């Protein structure tokens, strides 16, 4: 067994009517929740686990699939199975994910997938521009501690064309908007859940059965002018949205 793999003690009741795969999955999930396996730890592979517990490989595979679907484990092609990283908790606000990760002691990094000028009538309408207006279109993959967390698609008015790919790899977008004279913004956003596309599953390194959090947002300057339209997709096993509700 490779050094460092998380091996969880398991006690199975073979006389129980509860399926063995479910007993195994529940005990593994409890061990992860209890901290016996830490975020980022490599997890015992199904061959070793089936031999150790005297279970068939399909039974162990089904238990592991169950934990992958719950977002507790993640499979890395060619590398094995790992305990997922802890979730990023964000208050519903206009803040930058890059800055929020830094505040929480995480290490954010960015891969720029595309930076281009394009026409996108839906974003142009949100930005109160003509449908044929050429927008600065940015598509980025955001990592937290080296793990993919979000796919971020943003459209900006042409006045932000000087934002470079190098800047996008090193800083958060809102920090760059402040450099361009954009102060405090007000944003309208909607949040939903759905299954990922095949491309999103590949980029985020998740199962196609694990839902993603989809966010659509338009941000406005204090005077009311829109400065950004965004469509983001987040891993649901690594991202949570916190709300504070007040009684009026």
């Amino acid at each position: 067994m490779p050094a460092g793999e998380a091996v969880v003690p398991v006690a199975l009741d073979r006389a129980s009517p509860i399926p063995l795969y479910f007993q195994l999955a529940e005990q593994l999930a409890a061990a992860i929740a209890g901290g016996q396996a830490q975020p980022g730890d490599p997890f015992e592979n199904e061959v070793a686990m089936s031999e150790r517990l005297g279970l068939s490989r399909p039974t162990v595979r089904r238990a592991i699939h169950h934990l992958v679907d719950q977002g507790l484990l993640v499979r890395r092609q060619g590398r094995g199975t790992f305990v997922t990283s802890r979730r990023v908790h964000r208050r519903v606000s206009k803040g930058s994910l890059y800055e929020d990760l830094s505040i929480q002691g995480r290490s954010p990094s960015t891969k720029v997938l595309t930076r281009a000028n394009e026409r996108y009538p839906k974003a142009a309408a949100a930005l109160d521009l003509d449908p044929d207006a050429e927008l600065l279109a940015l598509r980025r993959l955001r990592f937290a501690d080296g793990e993919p967390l979000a796919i971020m698609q943003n459209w900006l008015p042409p006045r932000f064309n000087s934002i470079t790919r190098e800047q996008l790899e090193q800083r958060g977008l809102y920090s760059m908007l402040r450099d361009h004279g954009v102060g405090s913004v007000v944003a309208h956003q909607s949040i939903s859940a759905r299954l990922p596309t095949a491309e999103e599953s590949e980029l985020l390194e998740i199962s196609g059965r694990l839902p993603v959090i989809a966010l659509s947002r338009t941000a406005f300057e204090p005077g009311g002018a829109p400065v950004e339209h965004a469509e983001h997709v987040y891993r649901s096993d690594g991202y949570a949205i916190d709300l504070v509700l007040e009684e009026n």
Side-chain angles (χ1 to χ4, degrees), residues 75-95:
R75 293 186 185 275
R76 307 284 186 217
Q77 188 171 1
R79 295 168 54 194
T81 303
F82 295 80
V83 180
T84 54
S85 298
R86 63 190 186 276
R87 289 188 174 185
V88 177
H89 286 259
R90 298 185 74 194
R91 293 278 297 272
V92 173
S93 70
K94 58 182 180 297

Side-chain angles (χ1 to χ4, degrees), residues 37-192:
Q38 295 296 313
D41 281 352
F43 209 72
E44 185 179 11
N45 67 75
E46 66 181 49
V47 175
M49 191 180 298
S50 64
E51 292 177 353
R52 177 170 66 90
L53 300 176
L55 295 172
S56 69
R57 287 185 62 182
T59 297
V60 172
R61 186 180 301 119
R62 188 174 181 187
I64 291 176
H65 280 173
H66 185 73
L67 297 183
V68 169
D69 288 344
Q70 287 187 317
L72 297 175
L73 297 177
V74 61
R75 293 186 185 275
R76 307 284 186 217
Q77 188 171 1
R79 295 168 54 194
T81 303
F82 295 80
V83 180
T84 54
S85 298
R86 63 190 186 276
R87 289 188 174 185
V88 177
H89 286 259
R90 298 185 74 194
R91 293 278 297 272
V92 173
S93 70
K94 58 182 180 297
S96 159
L97 175 59
Y98 193 98
E99 294 168 353
D100 286 349
L101 287 168
S102 299
I103 290 170
Q104 293 183 29
R106 310 290 296 275
S107 176
S109 58
T110 306
K111 178 181 180 180
V112 178
L113 303 175
T114 59
R115 182 205 174 278
N117 294 103
E118 69 176 30
R119 294 180 176 88
Y120 183 37
K122 178 182 176 181
L127 294 171
D128 202 19
L129 297 172
D130 291 336
D132 290 336
E134 280 206 346
L135 310 176
L136 176 60
L138 312 172
R139 192 164 189 248
R140 297 164 292 156
L141 183 60
R142 175 62 45 78
F143 296 83
D145 300 329
E147 299 289 336
L149 175 65
I151 303 167
M152 303 180 298
Q153 176 83 62
N154 301 77
W155 293 269
L156 306 175
R159 65 185 173 109
F160 298 109
N161 274 339
S162 61
I163 293 176
T164 67
R165 178 181 289 264
E166 290 73 24
Q167 289 174 324
L168 292 166
E169 290 174 344
Q170 297 170 6
R171 301 169 58 191
L173 180 59
Y174 275 68
S175 172
M176 285 175 274
L177 293 182
R178 288 194 291 269
D179 289 348
H180 284 73
V182 176
S184 179
V185 300
V186 174
H188 175 268
Q189 64 184 21
S190 64
I191 301 166
S192 60

